[in-house]
Amino acid sequence: MLNTRTNLKYSAVQNVSSSLNSLLADMIALYIKTKNFHWHVSGPHFRDYHLLLDDQAGQILASTDVIAERVRKLGETTLRSVGHVARLQRIFDNDADYVAPADMLAELREDNFQLAERLRETHALCDEHKDVATASLLEGWIDEAEGRAWFLLEATRPSRD
Protein backbone atom coordinates (compact mmCIF):
# COMPACT_ATOMS: atom_id res chain seq x y z
CA MET A 1 0.00 0.00 0.00
CA LEU A 2 1.25 3.47 -0.85
CA ASN A 3 1.30 6.39 1.58
CA THR A 4 -1.83 7.93 0.04
CA ARG A 5 -4.16 8.88 2.86
CA THR A 6 -7.67 7.46 2.94
CA ASN A 7 -10.09 6.86 5.78
CA LEU A 8 -11.12 3.48 4.39
CA LYS A 9 -9.90 0.43 6.25
CA TYR A 10 -6.89 -1.43 4.88
CA SER A 11 -9.06 -4.43 3.93
CA ALA A 12 -11.44 -2.13 2.02
CA VAL A 13 -8.58 -0.58 0.09
CA GLN A 14 -7.17 -3.99 -0.76
CA ASN A 15 -10.49 -5.51 -1.82
CA VAL A 16 -11.78 -2.55 -3.80
CA SER A 17 -8.45 -1.87 -5.51
CA SER A 18 -8.08 -5.51 -6.51
CA SER A 19 -11.58 -5.54 -7.98
CA LEU A 20 -10.97 -2.25 -9.79
CA ASN A 21 -7.74 -3.54 -11.30
CA SER A 22 -9.60 -6.59 -12.63
CA LEU A 23 -12.28 -4.29 -14.05
CA LEU A 24 -9.57 -2.14 -15.62
CA ALA A 25 -8.07 -5.21 -17.30
CA ASP A 26 -11.54 -6.14 -18.59
CA MET A 27 -12.11 -2.62 -19.90
CA ILE A 28 -8.76 -2.62 -21.72
CA ALA A 29 -9.48 -6.06 -23.20
CA LEU A 30 -12.98 -4.96 -24.26
CA TYR A 31 -11.59 -1.75 -25.75
CA ILE A 32 -9.07 -3.68 -27.86
CA LYS A 33 -11.69 -6.23 -28.95
CA THR A 34 -14.12 -3.46 -29.88
CA LYS A 35 -11.43 -1.67 -31.91
CA ASN A 36 -10.46 -4.98 -33.53
CA PHE A 37 -14.04 -5.50 -34.68
CA HIS A 38 -14.30 -1.82 -35.69
CA TRP A 39 -11.24 -2.24 -37.93
CA HIS A 40 -12.38 -5.55 -39.44
CA VAL A 41 -16.14 -5.23 -39.82
CA SER A 42 -17.42 -5.55 -43.38
CA GLY A 43 -20.64 -6.02 -45.28
CA PRO A 44 -23.77 -4.04 -46.16
CA HIS A 45 -23.97 -2.35 -42.74
CA PHE A 46 -20.27 -1.49 -42.66
CA ARG A 47 -20.65 2.23 -42.07
CA ASP A 48 -23.22 1.90 -39.29
CA TYR A 49 -21.30 -0.86 -37.47
CA HIS A 50 -17.94 0.83 -38.01
CA LEU A 51 -19.19 4.07 -36.44
CA LEU A 52 -21.09 2.29 -33.65
CA LEU A 53 -18.03 0.31 -32.62
CA ASP A 54 -15.80 3.37 -32.76
CA ASP A 55 -18.19 5.26 -30.47
CA GLN A 56 -18.35 2.34 -28.06
CA ALA A 57 -14.57 1.92 -28.01
CA GLY A 58 -14.16 5.60 -27.18
CA GLN A 59 -16.61 5.32 -24.30
CA ILE A 60 -14.78 2.29 -22.90
CA LEU A 61 -11.38 3.95 -23.25
CA ALA A 62 -12.61 7.05 -21.42
CA SER A 63 -13.37 4.96 -18.32
CA THR A 64 -9.91 3.39 -18.08
CA ASP A 65 -8.05 6.43 -16.78
CA VAL A 66 -10.75 7.14 -14.21
CA ILE A 67 -10.56 3.56 -12.91
CA ALA A 68 -6.77 3.66 -12.66
CA GLU A 69 -6.81 7.03 -10.94
CA ARG A 70 -9.39 5.78 -8.42
CA VAL A 71 -7.07 2.89 -7.52
CA ARG A 72 -4.26 5.40 -7.00
CA LYS A 73 -6.50 7.65 -4.87
CA LEU A 74 -7.17 4.64 -2.67
CA GLY A 75 -3.43 4.30 -2.19
CA GLU A 76 -2.69 1.28 -4.35
CA THR A 77 -0.90 0.67 -7.62
CA THR A 78 -2.60 -0.29 -10.82
CA LEU A 79 -1.81 -2.19 -14.00
CA ARG A 80 1.72 -1.84 -15.34
CA SER A 81 1.87 -3.84 -18.56
CA VAL A 82 0.04 -5.76 -21.26
CA GLY A 83 1.09 -8.92 -19.43
CA HIS A 84 -0.55 -7.66 -16.26
CA VAL A 85 -3.75 -6.99 -18.22
CA ALA A 86 -3.61 -10.50 -19.69
CA ARG A 87 -3.29 -12.06 -16.23
CA LEU A 88 -6.33 -10.22 -14.86
CA GLN A 89 -8.70 -9.93 -17.83
CA ARG A 90 -11.88 -11.98 -17.90
CA ILE A 91 -13.03 -10.71 -21.31
CA PHE A 92 -11.79 -13.22 -23.87
CA ASP A 93 -9.76 -12.07 -26.88
CA ASN A 94 -10.92 -12.87 -30.39
CA ASP A 95 -7.98 -13.42 -32.75
CA ALA A 96 -9.97 -15.02 -35.56
CA ASP A 97 -9.02 -14.03 -39.10
CA TYR A 98 -12.68 -13.45 -39.94
CA VAL A 99 -15.74 -12.90 -37.77
CA ALA A 100 -19.14 -12.28 -39.33
CA PRO A 101 -20.52 -8.84 -38.41
CA ALA A 102 -23.54 -10.30 -36.59
CA ASP A 103 -21.22 -12.53 -34.57
CA MET A 104 -19.02 -9.55 -33.71
CA LEU A 105 -21.97 -7.61 -32.36
CA ALA A 106 -23.34 -10.63 -30.47
CA GLU A 107 -19.96 -11.31 -28.85
CA LEU A 108 -19.53 -7.70 -27.81
CA ARG A 109 -23.11 -7.62 -26.50
CA GLU A 110 -22.40 -10.59 -24.23
CA ASP A 111 -19.06 -9.09 -23.13
CA ASN A 112 -20.83 -5.88 -22.14
CA PHE A 113 -23.51 -7.79 -20.22
CA GLN A 114 -20.77 -9.69 -18.36
CA LEU A 115 -18.92 -6.45 -17.68
CA ALA A 116 -22.10 -4.88 -16.26
CA GLU A 117 -22.48 -7.85 -13.91
CA ARG A 118 -18.87 -7.52 -12.72
CA LEU A 119 -19.38 -3.80 -12.22
CA ARG A 120 -22.41 -4.61 -10.04
CA GLU A 121 -20.35 -7.09 -8.03
CA THR A 122 -17.73 -4.42 -7.42
CA HIS A 123 -20.48 -1.96 -6.47
CA ALA A 124 -21.73 -4.43 -3.84
CA LEU A 125 -18.17 -4.71 -2.51
CA CYS A 126 -17.96 -0.91 -2.32
CA ASP A 127 -21.28 -0.80 -0.46
CA GLU A 128 -19.96 -3.38 1.98
CA HIS A 129 -16.89 -1.21 2.67
CA LYS A 130 -18.79 2.11 2.56
CA ASP A 131 -16.73 3.36 -0.39
CA VAL A 132 -19.36 5.66 -1.83
CA ALA A 133 -16.93 7.50 -4.12
CA THR A 134 -16.05 4.35 -6.05
CA ALA A 135 -19.66 3.13 -5.97
CA SER A 136 -20.88 6.34 -7.59
CA LEU A 137 -18.37 5.95 -10.43
CA LEU A 138 -19.45 2.36 -10.95
CA GLU A 139 -23.09 3.35 -11.36
CA GLY A 140 -22.28 5.38 -14.46
CA TRP A 141 -20.20 2.60 -15.95
CA ILE A 142 -22.97 0.07 -15.33
CA ASP A 143 -25.36 2.30 -17.26
CA GLU A 144 -22.83 2.71 -20.08
CA ALA A 145 -22.21 -1.07 -20.35
CA GLU A 146 -25.95 -1.74 -20.42
CA GLY A 147 -26.37 1.00 -23.03
CA ARG A 148 -23.69 -0.52 -25.25
CA ALA A 149 -25.27 -3.97 -24.90
CA TRP A 150 -28.68 -2.52 -25.78
CA PHE A 151 -27.36 -0.82 -28.93
CA LEU A 152 -25.63 -4.05 -29.98
CA LEU A 153 -28.83 -6.01 -29.38
CA GLU A 154 -30.97 -3.59 -31.36
CA ALA A 155 -28.44 -3.52 -34.23
CA THR A 156 -28.82 -7.29 -34.65
CA ARG A 157 -32.60 -7.57 -34.34
CA PRO A 158 -34.41 -8.49 -37.51
CA SER A 159 -36.48 -5.65 -38.91
CA ARG A 160 -40.29 -5.85 -38.80
CA ASP A 161 -40.93 -4.54 -42.29
Side-chain angles (χ1 to χ4, degrees):
M1 189 157 152
L2 303 173
N3 289 327
T4 305
R5 186 172 154 100
T6 179
N7 60 355
L8 294 174
K9 293 180 181 173
Y10 179 76
S11 62
V13 169
Q14 294 295 298
N15 292 336
V16 171
S17 294
S18 176
S19 188
L20 287 174
N21 275 326
S22 293
L23 285 173
L24 180 57
D26 286 340
M27 290 282 200
I28 292 169
L30 184 58
Y31 168 76
I32 292 170
K33 181 188 273 188
T34 303
K35 286 304 279 191
N36 168 29
F37 288 168
H38 159 80
W39 294 321
H40 295 102
V41 72
S42 61
H45 301 288
F46 166 77
R47 184 177 192 284
D48 292 333
Y49 294 166
H50 185 76
L51 295 175
L52 172 66
L53 297 178
D54 197 39
D55 285 346
Q56 290 196 356
Q59 185 182 68
I60 295 163
L61 182 62
S63 67
T64 60
D65 194 50
V66 181
I67 295 170
E69 287 179 357
R70 184 65 194 152
V71 172
R72 297 290 289 147
K73 287 177 192 176
L74 291 171
E76 285 298 321
T77 59
T78 192
L79 305 179
R80 297 182 184 273
S81 67
V82 173
H84 198 174
V85 171
R87 287 189 299 277
L88 295 179
Q89 78 182 71
R90 297 160 294 183
I91 301 284
F92 295 113
D93 295 334
N94 186 324
D95 296 326
D97 287 337
Y98 175 78
V99 180
D103 293 338
M104 289 178 177
L105 300 184
E107 187 172 333
L108 290 173
R109 182 184 67 238
E110 291 308 309
D111 289 341
N112 277 283
F113 278 136
Q114 289 175 15
L115 179 64
E117 182 57 32
R118 290 182 184 125
L119 289 161
R120 278 189 205 86
E121 290 167 2
T122 303
H123 192 286
L125 181 67
C126 291
D127 288 346
E128 178 184 326
H129 291 295
K130 298 180 172 57
D131 181 358
V132 295
T134 304
S136 67
L137 293 170
L138 290 162
E139 290 166 3
W141 298 325
I142 292 166
D143 184 58
E144 288 176 358
E146 290 177 341
R148 289 188 302 269
W150 171 51
F151 267 69
L152 293 162
L153 174 68
E154 292 300 335
T156 58
R157 273 193 207 271
S159 63
R160 296 186 192 185
D161 296 338

